[in-house]
Amino acid sequence: LARLYGEQGQIEKMFSNYIDVLGSNPNLLPGVSRIYGQFITDDPANEANVIFRRLLLKRLQEDQNILYNEMLSWLFVQQKEFQKAFQQEKAIYRRGQQGLGSILRLTVMAREEGQSETALELLDFVIAETASEELKLQAHQLRLNVLQEILP
Protein backbone atom coordinates (compact mmCIF):
# COMPACT_ATOMS: atom_id res chain seq x y z
CA LEU A 1 0.00 0.00 0.00
CA ALA A 2 2.82 2.39 0.88
CA ARG A 3 4.53 1.74 -2.45
CA LEU A 4 1.27 2.48 -4.26
CA TYR A 5 0.91 5.77 -2.40
CA GLY A 6 4.46 6.65 -3.43
CA GLU A 7 3.75 5.91 -7.07
CA GLN A 8 0.65 8.10 -6.87
CA GLY A 9 2.66 10.95 -5.36
CA GLN A 10 0.84 10.80 -2.03
CA ILE A 11 4.04 11.18 -0.07
CA GLU A 12 2.52 11.77 3.36
CA LYS A 13 0.39 8.61 3.15
CA MET A 14 3.39 6.67 1.85
CA PHE A 15 5.64 7.82 4.70
CA SER A 16 2.91 7.13 7.25
CA ASN A 17 2.29 3.60 5.96
CA TYR A 18 5.98 2.75 5.95
CA ILE A 19 6.31 4.09 9.50
CA ASP A 20 3.38 1.84 10.50
CA VAL A 21 5.07 -1.18 8.93
CA LEU A 22 8.36 -0.37 10.66
CA GLY A 23 6.59 -0.09 14.00
CA SER A 24 5.78 -3.79 13.87
CA ASN A 25 8.85 -4.88 11.91
CA PRO A 26 11.87 -2.59 12.63
CA ASN A 27 14.33 -4.89 10.85
CA LEU A 28 12.94 -3.53 7.57
CA LEU A 29 14.47 -0.11 8.31
CA PRO A 30 17.45 -0.42 5.91
CA GLY A 31 15.19 -1.24 2.96
CA VAL A 32 12.64 1.40 3.84
CA SER A 33 15.44 3.96 4.28
CA ARG A 34 16.47 3.31 0.68
CA ILE A 35 12.91 4.03 -0.41
CA TYR A 36 12.80 7.18 1.71
CA GLY A 37 16.06 8.21 0.08
CA GLN A 38 14.23 8.53 -3.22
CA PHE A 39 12.13 11.35 -1.78
CA ILE A 40 14.36 12.95 0.88
CA THR A 41 16.96 15.52 -0.15
CA ASP A 42 19.65 17.46 1.67
CA ASP A 43 17.34 20.49 1.73
CA PRO A 44 15.51 20.72 5.08
CA ALA A 45 12.85 22.90 3.42
CA ASN A 46 12.05 20.23 0.81
CA GLU A 47 8.37 19.31 1.07
CA ALA A 48 9.04 15.59 1.53
CA ASN A 49 11.61 16.31 4.25
CA VAL A 50 9.17 18.57 6.09
CA ILE A 51 6.37 16.00 5.89
CA PHE A 52 8.63 13.18 7.06
CA ARG A 53 10.01 15.20 9.99
CA ARG A 54 6.51 16.27 11.05
CA LEU A 55 5.21 12.69 10.94
CA LEU A 56 8.14 11.38 12.96
CA LEU A 57 7.91 14.10 15.60
CA LYS A 58 4.19 13.46 15.96
CA ARG A 59 4.78 9.71 16.34
CA LEU A 60 7.54 10.34 18.87
CA GLN A 61 5.18 12.45 20.97
CA GLU A 62 2.59 9.67 20.92
CA ASP A 63 4.98 6.76 21.41
CA GLN A 64 8.55 6.91 22.67
CA ASN A 65 9.64 4.14 20.28
CA ILE A 66 13.38 4.48 19.71
CA LEU A 67 12.80 3.69 16.04
CA TYR A 68 11.46 7.23 15.56
CA ASN A 69 14.66 8.68 17.03
CA GLU A 70 16.67 6.52 14.65
CA MET A 71 14.66 7.68 11.65
CA LEU A 72 14.91 11.34 12.72
CA SER A 73 18.66 10.93 13.08
CA TRP A 74 18.82 9.43 9.58
CA LEU A 75 16.80 12.36 8.21
CA PHE A 76 19.04 14.93 9.87
CA VAL A 77 22.13 13.18 8.51
CA GLN A 78 20.66 13.32 5.01
CA GLN A 79 20.12 17.05 5.53
CA LYS A 80 23.66 17.40 6.91
CA GLU A 81 22.21 18.75 10.16
CA PHE A 82 24.62 16.85 12.37
CA GLN A 83 23.82 18.81 15.53
CA LYS A 84 20.18 17.71 15.28
CA ALA A 85 21.22 14.16 14.47
CA PHE A 86 23.43 14.26 17.58
CA GLN A 87 20.42 15.11 19.75
CA GLN A 88 18.62 12.03 18.44
CA GLU A 89 21.67 9.80 18.83
CA LYS A 90 22.15 11.08 22.36
CA ALA A 91 18.54 10.14 23.17
CA ILE A 92 19.12 6.67 21.73
CA TYR A 93 22.34 6.26 23.71
CA ARG A 94 20.77 7.47 26.96
CA ARG A 95 18.07 4.83 26.64
CA GLY A 96 20.84 2.25 26.60
CA GLN A 97 19.90 0.85 23.23
CA GLN A 98 23.24 1.38 21.53
CA GLY A 99 26.86 2.10 22.29
CA LEU A 100 28.82 5.11 21.18
CA GLY A 101 29.61 3.76 17.70
CA SER A 102 26.84 5.69 15.97
CA ILE A 103 28.02 8.91 17.63
CA LEU A 104 31.57 8.26 16.42
CA ARG A 105 30.28 7.66 12.88
CA LEU A 106 28.37 10.92 13.14
CA THR A 107 31.59 12.64 14.23
CA VAL A 108 33.36 11.45 11.09
CA MET A 109 30.50 12.66 8.87
CA ALA A 110 30.39 16.08 10.57
CA ARG A 111 34.14 16.43 10.19
CA GLU A 112 34.00 15.46 6.50
CA GLU A 113 31.30 18.08 5.93
CA GLY A 114 33.40 20.78 7.58
CA GLN A 115 31.27 20.99 10.72
CA SER A 116 34.24 20.90 13.05
CA GLU A 117 32.50 22.49 16.04
CA THR A 118 29.84 19.79 15.98
CA ALA A 119 32.51 17.11 15.56
CA LEU A 120 34.30 18.45 18.65
CA GLU A 121 31.08 18.47 20.64
CA LEU A 122 30.41 14.87 19.63
CA LEU A 123 33.94 13.85 20.65
CA ASP A 124 33.60 15.61 24.00
CA PHE A 125 30.44 13.60 24.59
CA VAL A 126 32.19 10.33 23.73
CA ILE A 127 35.12 11.19 26.01
CA ALA A 128 32.78 12.03 28.88
CA GLU A 129 30.57 8.97 28.46
CA THR A 130 32.89 6.10 27.63
CA ALA A 131 34.36 3.78 30.21
CA SER A 132 36.76 2.32 27.67
CA GLU A 133 40.24 3.79 27.93
CA GLU A 134 40.94 2.69 24.35
CA LEU A 135 37.90 4.52 23.00
CA LYS A 136 38.70 7.55 25.13
CA LEU A 137 42.23 7.65 23.69
CA GLN A 138 40.89 7.28 20.15
CA ALA A 139 38.43 10.14 20.73
CA HIS A 140 41.17 12.36 22.17
CA GLN A 141 43.38 11.67 19.14
CA LEU A 142 40.55 12.44 16.74
CA ARG A 143 39.78 15.59 18.72
CA LEU A 144 43.38 16.75 18.35
CA ASN A 145 43.21 16.09 14.60
CA VAL A 146 40.05 18.19 14.29
CA LEU A 147 41.57 21.01 16.33
CA GLN A 148 44.70 20.91 14.18
CA GLU A 149 42.53 21.33 11.07
CA ILE A 150 40.68 24.37 12.36
CA LEU A 151 43.45 26.22 14.20
CA PRO A 152 45.87 28.34 12.17
Side-chain angles (χ1 to χ4, degrees):
L1 184 61
R3 186 177 299 140
L4 183 60
Y5 282 134
E7 290 172 6
Q8 293 176 344
Q10 297 182 41
I11 296 171
E12 186 166 355
K13 288 183 179 181
M14 179 200 67
F15 284 153
S16 185
N17 273 270
Y18 275 126
I19 291 170
D20 291 341
V21 168
L22 289 171
S24 60
N25 203 347
N27 62 335
L28 294 175
L29 184 59
V32 172
S33 293
R34 281 191 297 277
I35 295 167
Y36 286 158
Q38 297 171 5
F39 297 89
I40 300 298
T41 69
D42 62 356
D43 177 11
N46 175 41
E47 181 183 6
N49 294 39
V50 171
I51 291 169
F52 189 51
R53 182 177 59 247
R54 185 173 30 89
L55 283 171
L56 289 173
L57 289 171
K58 182 179 179 191
R59 297 285 180 109
L60 197 54
Q61 287 175 341
E62 296 167 355
D63 177 11
Q64 294 295 308
N65 189 334
I66 203 159
L67 175 69
Y68 305 136
N69 295 99
E70 291 171 350
M71 290 194 298
L72 276 168
S73 178
W74 176 86
L75 173 65
F76 293 138
V77 167
Q78 304 312 303
Q79 297 173 170
K80 298 180 181 15
E81 294 180 312
F82 299 107
Q83 186 65 40
K84 291 179 180 179
F86 175 43
Q87 297 307 314
Q88 298 305 315
E89 291 298 332
K90 204 177 345 180
I92 294 166
Y93 173 77
R94 295 252 189 254
R95 289 172 161 179
Q97 298 294 314
Q98 292 180 4
L100 293 165
S102 60
I103 294 176
L104 280 175
R105 285 188 294 280
L106 193 59
T107 301
V108 171
M109 288 185 269
R111 180 182 177 198
E112 288 173 353
E113 290 296 326
Q115 295 185 26
S116 300
E117 294 301 321
T118 299
L120 290 171
E121 186 177 343
L122 289 157
L123 288 167
D124 289 342
F125 180 80
V126 170
I127 291 166
E129 292 293 320
T130 188
S132 164
E133 290 301 319
E134 184 178 327
L135 183 56
K136 195 174 286 201
L137 178 62
Q138 182 183 5
H140 275 293
Q141 288 172 331
L142 187 53
R143 189 175 195 292
L144 288 172
N145 291 341
V146 172
L147 285 170
Q148 190 174 27
E149 291 170 1
I150 61 174
L151 294 177

